[in-house]
Amino acid sequence: MGEWRGDLLAGVIESGSSTVTEIAVPYFFLVSGFFFFKHSYYEKGEYLTMLKKKGYTLLIPYLIWNIIGLIEQIVAGQYHKTDPHDILYDLVLSEWNGPLWYVRTLMIFMLLVPFYGWIYNLKNKMVLVVTLLVAFYTWRTVDCSILSTEGIMFFLFGGLFCYYEKYLEHKINIKLLTVLFALWIIISFVRPCWGIGIHKVNTLLGIFVFWQLLPLCSDRFKSIVLPLSSLSFFVYVNHVYPLKAIKLTIASLYPENEVAALAVYFIAPIIVLIIFLFIGNLMRRYIPNVLNIMTGGRI
């Protein structure tokens, strides 16, 4: 509830952590493209079959959780629009549940696949390279627009890795990985000569390092996390407003308190995560069909 200070400890940690976690959305698009381009949508009936499937797994949850977000905004007295055009516009922009912008943009990419999917079917390396270079050049980091340039870039690169999957199996030695990890963290927090170029390089570095770190996860860690992964979408669509409520409550109790700000920055997400994993497990036990529809068949 005070002026945000990037030069204070809380500001430095929040800013650096935000930069580190910027790899999340590009990574999601990369993985989505990887699995999406495993199929050709030019065969008879394939495109329509894909649209029906995505309607169930993406469109229906998108509509449900945006409507829930709209109801929450109305109850909180934060939404007063009545014009049908404005309401439709806000639905398309996912104004009622901000994180779902990713799902909206992903659906558009999939809908438009007949216009660019031939690039992969053609199997012409020159056409593919030129396309990816153009995508890289036009890429703007942290772009959440309807046709996100960041989304386009990594979605297309996901398709590339789908065709050259063997390169994903390459592992670097632990010493080099440690150096690259340290470099990624230092750049994210220190931001030397910060600009669009270094920002892009840092995002690519972070994704590479993250991918290389995954095999190092212990079996015990996997045994804990993987069973919870089916509820990740449920947590994803529910976290914004409760997280905001906790932050605003703490801010009102401890205004302009850096210690409180830093504590809530780390603790609030954990609290919200635990709450919705608990609720999700209850729904999975007692009303699994409802949860299945609301999450697009992800349980």
Side-chain angles (χ1 to χ4, degrees):
M1 291 297 189
E3 179 185 359
W4 189 84
R5 293 279 301 279
D7 58 326
L8 297 179
L9 179 61
V12 170
I13 292 177
E14 290 178 20
S15 179
S17 299
S18 177
T19 303
V20 167
T21 54
E22 280 176 4
I23 70 168
V25 170
Y27 187 81
F28 293 153
F29 275 114
L30 194 67
V31 172
S32 297
F34 176 81
F35 288 108
F36 184 72
F37 287 108
K38 281 185 174 290
H39 304 278
S40 171
Y41 303 99
Y42 292 91
E43 303 295 330
K44 185 177 180 180
E46 287 294 323
Y47 179 66
L48 290 178
T49 300
M50 181 272 293
L51 291 182
K52 290 177 183 178
K53 180 182 177 181
K54 300 307 177 184
Y56 174 66
T57 60
L58 294 176
L59 180 59
I60 290 177
Y62 179 86
L63 294 174
I64 289 174
W65 291 106
N66 261 290
I67 291 172
I68 291 175
L70 172 61
I71 294 171
E72 291 172 335
Q73 288 192 15
I74 292 174
V75 170
Q78 295 182 346
Y79 195 83
H80 309 285
K81 296 180 182 179
T82 57
D83 186 283
H85 294 92
D86 290 339
I87 294 173
L88 180 60
Y89 185 72
D90 286 348
L91 175 61
V92 172
L93 292 183
S94 193
E95 291 289 345
W96 310 322
N97 194 321
L100 282 171
W101 76 267
Y102 164 76
V103 173
R104 172 209 65 208
T105 298
L106 189 61
M107 288 191 293
I108 293 174
F109 290 167
M110 293 174 172
L111 181 67
L112 297 178
V113 69
F115 296 101
Y116 63 85
W118 59 268
I119 295 172
Y120 294 98
N121 287 355
L122 194 62
K123 299 187 185 302
N124 185 308
K125 292 183 178 180
M126 183 58 67
V127 173
L128 188 57
V129 168
V130 170
T131 301
L132 294 176
L133 285 176
V134 171
F136 179 82
Y137 179 77
T138 58
W139 165 32
R140 301 195 314 274
T141 53
V142 199
D143 180 8
C144 304
S145 60
I146 290 182
L147 288 176
S148 166
T149 56
E150 185 159 75
I152 291 172
M153 214 277 281
F154 286 97
F155 192 66
L156 292 178
F157 266 91
L160 175 69
F161 285 120
C162 175
Y163 283 92
Y164 298 97
E165 191 171 347
K166 62 180 181 179
Y167 292 106
L168 296 177
E169 300 174 3
H170 178 71
K171 301 293 185 294
I172 62 175
N173 66 68
I174 192 66
K175 291 182 179 179
L176 178 58
L177 179 57
T178 302
V179 171
L180 293 178
F181 175 78
L183 181 62
W184 173 41
I185 297 301
I186 291 171
I187 293 175
S188 297
F189 279 85
V190 180
R191 296 191 176 192
C193 307
W194 196 250
I196 185 65
I198 191 68
H199 199 167
K200 287 183 177 182
V201 170
N202 194 56
T203 299
L204 294 174
L205 175 62
I207 291 172
F208 177 76
V209 169
F210 181 76
W211 177 256
Q212 291 289 325
L213 285 172
L214 287 178
L216 302 180
C217 295
S218 67
D219 291 337
R220 177 173 174 76
F221 177 77
K222 293 176 185 177
S223 68
I224 295 172
V225 173
L226 290 179
L228 299 175
S229 63
S230 61
L231 290 173
S232 59
F233 185 82
F234 182 73
V235 175
Y236 164 68
V237 293
N238 274 299
H239 76 280
V240 171
Y241 293 120
L243 193 60
K244 185 176 181 180
I246 292 174
K247 288 182 177 181
L248 291 176
T249 300
I250 299 300
S252 64
L253 294 174
Y254 304 96
E256 301 186 49
N257 187 311
E258 187 184 11
V259 174
L262 195 56
V264 77
Y265 180 76
F266 285 106
I267 297 174
I270 298 174
I271 294 173
V272 171
L273 176 64
I274 292 173
I275 289 173
F276 284 104
L277 286 177
F278 176 75
I279 294 174
N281 275 313
L282 285 180
M283 293 181 67
R284 183 158 53 185
R285 177 180 300 179
Y286 296 107
I287 48 173
N289 292 335
V290 174
L291 182 63
N292 200 43
I293 293 172
M294 296 178 80
T295 59
R298 290 177 173 83
I299 65 167

